[in-house]
Amino acid sequence: MHKRPISKTELLGRLAHLEAILCRLSSDHAETAHKNVLVADCIEGAKSELRAAVKSLAADDLADSLHLSNIAWLQINFGRRVIEAESIEAVLGEGIFLELTKDEKWQHTKIEALLKRMEQMVAELLDVVQKRDAS
Amino acid sequence: MDIFKQLEGYYLSPKALAQKGLDRLVEAMADTNRDLQTAENEYLDCANQYMARADRIYERALAAFKDEEYEQCKALIEGSVVYLQMAVLIVQSSADETFDAGFADGSAECLINLLLESIAKTKLAVEAANHQVSSAVHRCILRVVALYNQALLSLRECEDDDARLSADAGIHLLNWVILQIEIENNETMFELHLPSHTGNKFDAQMKEFAKDLAECRKLFFQRGKTLAPRAKNHLIEAEKYFDLCLENIVTGDFDDTETNIAAGMTEVKLATELAARGAAKVSEDPEATSEESLEDRVKSFKSLAHKLISTARKSNVREPEVFEKKIDAAYHYFMRACDHLEGGFLAEAQRLAKAAYLDIDFAKQIALTKHKPEYRDL
C-alpha cells in the first residue's frame, strides 16, 4: 500500500530508478567472491517483478504496476542489505558468513553435527560401562 | 499536448490515426536510438533491452495495422511508447540517488521491509562479532527467511493481511533468534525494533514471552548438567508453545495465541523455578539422579540415525549406500551394546559400543572427507 496515489509519469520514473538500482546490485553481486544464493534469488525475483510492472504500466494498469514495483523494491532492498553485510565481513572479517539459505553447505554442516552427536552418545555409553565396571 | 493532437481522434479516421501513431513511434524510436548510442553509463545494456522490447512491440503494431486492426495497433503503439520512455529514463537515472519506497505506515510492505532489514542487520551483527550460531538457532534463522518468503508470496497474491501476519511471525521468531544468540555467546547484540501496529494485539506479550524464555535458557546454561530433567522438559514444552504461537499468528488465530502464550509462560515459570533451585536441591529430585534410561538412549540414537540418513539423501553424499549401511550398522551395534549393558555383560557392551564408534567414524570419512575411508583406531 502506498502513502498517496501516483501518476503514470511518476511511476515511469520509479520503475526506471528501480531498474538502475537493480543493475547496480547485479553488477555488485557479480563482483563478489562469495556468491550468495539468496542475493541471486532476490535479483532474479526483482527482475521478473519489474518486467511484470512495466507490462502492467504498458497496459495502463497503474495500481498493479505500483504493487509489483513495491515487491521488486523489497527484493532489491533485501539483496542490497545482504550484499552490504557480506562485503563488510569479506573486507574486515574472516570471511565466515551466516548463510540464509538451506544450501548444500548447510546440509554438510548438519551431517557433521549429527555425526558428532552420535559419537557423543557412544562416548557417554562407554562412560556408563566404565562406571559400572569400576563399581 | 497541443489542441490539434487532442482532437485528432475526432477528425481522423481510425486508419489515419493509427498511421500517424506509427509515424510518431518511428520518429521517437530513432531519437531514442540516437540518445542511447551517445550515452555512456552502467545502465546502457538494460536500456537497450527496453529499446529492443519497444522495437518488438512496434513490429506487432505494424502487423496489426496491416491486418486493419487499428484499435489493437493503437494499444500496441501506446505499449511500445512506455518501453521507449523506460529506455530513455533508465540512462538518465542513477542508483546513487535515494529511492523513496513510499510505503504507508503499518502496510504489509512496510512490515516486510522491517523484517528483511532486521534479518540483514542480524546477519551483519553475527558476522562482525564472529558469534557462534548453533544448528538449532540456524534452523530458526532459515525459518525466519521462509516466513519472509511466505509474506512476499502473500503480498504478490494481494493477500495483504496474510502477508502482514507472516512478517509479524517472522519478526517475533527473529527476536527469539537474537536472544538465543546472545545467550549462546554471552554477549548482547541489539534490541530488535518490533512494530507496534501489525494487527496482532499480542505483540507485547510475545515479546515478553521470548524474554522470559531467554532468561530461563540463560539459567539453564549457567546450571549446566546439574539441572533436573523435569526442568528441561518444562523448557522444551515452553518452546513448543512458542512455536505454536508463531503458527497461530501466521493463521491469524488470536484466541489460540492468547491461550498458548499463557500456557507457555506457565511452563517457563516452572522450568525457571526448578532450575533456580540449584544443584543442591536437584539432588533431592529422584528424576535428576537417575541416568537417562537405556531405552531412551536407543530411541534418541535411532532418531539421529534417521535424520542423518534423510539429510545425506538430500545432499549428494558420495557412496550413499555404504554411508547408510555404516549408520545402520552403528545403530545396531549401539542397540546391542545397550542390551548387553542392561544384562550386565559389560565387556561385550564395551566391544559393541566401540564397534558403533568405528562405523560412525567410517561414515564421517565418507561424508566429510575426500580420501578413501578406512577403519581407524579409537
Side-chain angles (χ1 to χ4, degrees), chain B residues 257-310:
Chain B
T257 313
E258 187 172 24
T259 316
N260 288 325
I261 289 176
M265 286 180 97
T266 309
E267 291 291 344
V268 175
K269 261 186 202 158
L270 284 168
T272 310
E273 265 174 37
L274 282 168
R277 278 188 201 169
K281 291 236 175 180
V282 165
S283 62
E284 292 163 16
D285 190 335
E287 281 180 59
T289 50
S290 67
E291 274 169 5
E292 188 185 0
S293 80
L294 292 171
E295 202 184 330
D296 286 346
R297 282 177 201 263
V298 173
K299 268 188 200 163
S300 309
F301 200 88
K302 190 180 180 181
S303 143
L304 279 175
H306 277 179
K307 270 188 209 163
L308 189 55
I309 288 173
S310 89

Side-chain angles (χ1 to χ4, degrees), chain A residues 1-3 8 12-21 23-24 36 38 49 51 54-55 57-58 67-68 70-71 73-75 77-78 81-82 85-86 88-89 94 96-102 104 106-108 110-112 114-115 117-119 121-122 124-126 128-130 132-133, chain B residues 42-43 46 50 53 79 82-83 85-86 89-90 93-104 107 109 113 116-117 120 123-124 127 130 135 138-139 141-142 145 148 152 155-156 158 291 297 300-301 304-305 308 311-312 315-317 327 334 337-338 341 346 350 353 360 364 367-368:
Chain A
M1 199 193 290
H2 221 68
K3 273 180 191 163
K8 189 171 181 176
L12 265 168
R14 182 182 172 88
L15 293 174
H17 195 182
L18 282 174
E19 279 287 8
I21 297 171
C23 277
R24 178 74 60 82
N36 190 302
L38 185 82
E49 300 301 344
R51 211 172 296 144
V54 178
K55 207 171 171 183
L57 186 64
H67 178 68
L68 293 166
N70 286 345
I71 299 171
W73 163 245
L74 289 170
Q75 306 214 47
N77 195 24
F78 199 14
R81 300 281 172 165
V82 170
E86 293 201 338
I88 293 171
E89 176 62 11
E94 292 158 11
I96 303 166
F97 301 104
L98 174 67
E99 296 297 341
L100 299 175
T101 46
K102 203 174 180 177
E104 210 164 289
W106 159 241
Q107 301 277 16
H108 196 268
K110 196 176 168 189
I111 288 173
E112 197 175 354
L114 288 167
L115 283 165
R117 179 69 198 116
M118 283 175 107
E119 278 181 343
M121 286 192 74
V122 176
E124 282 165 18
L125 190 68
L126 281 166
V128 176
V129 174
Q130 274 167 5
R132 286 204 190 169
D133 202 18
Chain B
E42 59 185 303
Y43 322 116
C46 179
Y50 273 95
R53 272 179 234 161
V82 167
Y83 284 87
Q85 285 173 316
M86 278 295 290
L89 287 169
I90 285 167
S93 290
S94 168
D96 297 324
E97 280 170 27
T98 312
F99 181 80
D100 176 21
F103 299 148
S107 65
E109 288 91 340
N113 200 45
L116 71 86
E117 290 191 350
K123 181 176 162 64
L124 179 65
E127 287 167 356
N130 277 337
S135 55
H138 191 243
R139 273 198 297 278
I141 294 172
L142 296 182
V145 177
Y148 156 80
L152 206 63
L155 186 66
R156 183 74 167 82
C158 296
E291 274 169 5
R297 282 177 201 263
S300 309
F301 200 88
L304 279 175
L308 189 55
T311 311
S315 64
N316 302 325
V317 163
I327 295 299
F334 187 87
C338 288
L341 181 61
L346 302 182
Q350 192 174 40
I360 296 169
K364 197 161 123 182
L368 310 177

Side-chain angles (χ1 to χ4, degrees), chain B residues 152-169:
Chain B
L152 206 63
L153 200 67
S154 297
L155 186 66
R156 183 74 167 82
E157 301 297 318
C158 296
E159 289 160 354
D160 284 30
D161 284 344
D162 287 353
R164 209 178 280 120
L165 291 170
S166 294
D168 193 25

Side-chain angles (χ1 to χ4, degrees), chain B residues 166-312:
Chain B
S166 294
D168 193 25
I171 288 167
H172 281 297
L173 184 56
L174 189 60
N175 184 40
W176 173 225
V177 163
I178 291 168
L179 293 170
Q180 288 182 89
I181 295 172
E182 285 182 345
I183 296 165
E184 287 179 3
N185 292 276
N186 202 20
E187 267 180 57
T188 50
M189 278 176 66
F190 61 90
E191 190 163 351
L192 187 69
H193 170 68
L194 293 176
S196 49
H197 302 292
T198 61
N200 173 13
K201 56 180 176 165
F202 298 109
D203 274 341
Q205 280 112 305
M206 276 299 283
K207 195 179 176 186
E208 197 62 29
F209 185 9
K211 204 176 141 205
D212 288 356
L213 210 49
E215 288 296 326
C216 185
R217 264 270 178 106
K218 203 170 175 181
L219 199 61
F220 273 55
F221 253 66
Q222 288 160 356
R223 291 274 186 265
K225 285 183 177 174
T226 60
L227 277 168
R230 254 170 50 203
K232 201 177 170 188
N233 289 342
H234 285 300
L235 180 64
I236 292 169
E237 280 305 308
E239 289 182 2
K240 280 184 191 164
Y241 277 116
F242 190 81
D243 276 350
L244 270 177
C245 290
L246 292 175
E247 278 175 31
N248 296 149
I249 292 172
V250 171
T251 53
D253 198 343
F254 293 148
D255 286 344
D256 278 357
T257 313
E258 187 172 24
T259 316
N260 288 325
I261 289 176
M265 286 180 97
T266 309
E267 291 291 344
V268 175
K269 261 186 202 158
L270 284 168
T272 310
E273 265 174 37
L274 282 168
R277 278 188 201 169
K281 291 236 175 180
V282 165
S283 62
E284 292 163 16
D285 190 335
E287 281 180 59
T289 50
S290 67
E291 274 169 5
E292 188 185 0
S293 80
L294 292 171
E295 202 184 330
D296 286 346
R297 282 177 201 263
V298 173
K299 268 188 200 163
S300 309
F301 200 88
K302 190 180 180 181
S303 143
L304 279 175
H306 277 179
K307 270 188 209 163
L308 189 55
I309 288 173
S310 89
T311 311

